[in-house]
Amino acid sequence: MTKLGQWLCGLALLGSAWAALALAPPGLRLPAPYRQALLPLPVYLLVAFGCYSLATVGYRLATFNDCEEAAAELQEQILTARADLRRRGLRF
């Protein structure tokens, strides 16, 4: 199973559990404070997931490694390509 499939199965499981509790089946009576906290729960989870995602992206950007060898190789390839294009008559 792919990672997307795992996430979708988990979301479907949580969503169905939330719907079962939020729709208040006849045999289940939740106290009012629990019910008031349960209804906006998906919005809270979405905000928490967004915060986690932003923090993860920020951390990965802060600890991103520089590849100086690759940068030097790319600069060399650019110079070689420019020289080849000049030889063929292209002006920059």
Side-chain angles (χ1 to χ4, degrees):
M1 179 179 286
T2 64
K3 199 64 164 171
L4 177 63
Q6 291 175 353
W7 276 97
L8 290 177
C9 286
L11 286 175
L13 182 66
L14 287 174
S16 61
W18 175 81
L21 290 173
L23 294 177
L28 180 65
R29 303 302 295 165
L30 290 175
Y34 291 138
R35 192 163 165 75
Q36 288 175 352
L38 183 66
L39 290 176
L41 188 63
V43 176
Y44 295 151
L45 291 176
L46 185 64
V47 169
F49 178 71
C51 292
Y52 169 75
S53 298
L54 283 175
T56 301
V57 169
Y59 174 75
R60 301 291 174 150
L61 282 174
T63 59
F64 188 74
N65 293 333
D66 290 335
C67 300
E68 295 178 13
E69 299 88 21
E73 181 182 347
L74 183 60
Q75 290 294 330
E76 182 181 322
Q77 290 176 357
I78 290 171
L79 292 176
T80 306
R82 282 187 176 180
D84 185 48
L85 290 173
R86 276 194 202 106
R87 187 176 50 91
R88 294 176 188 234
L90 184 69
R91 293 180 182 234
F92 293 101

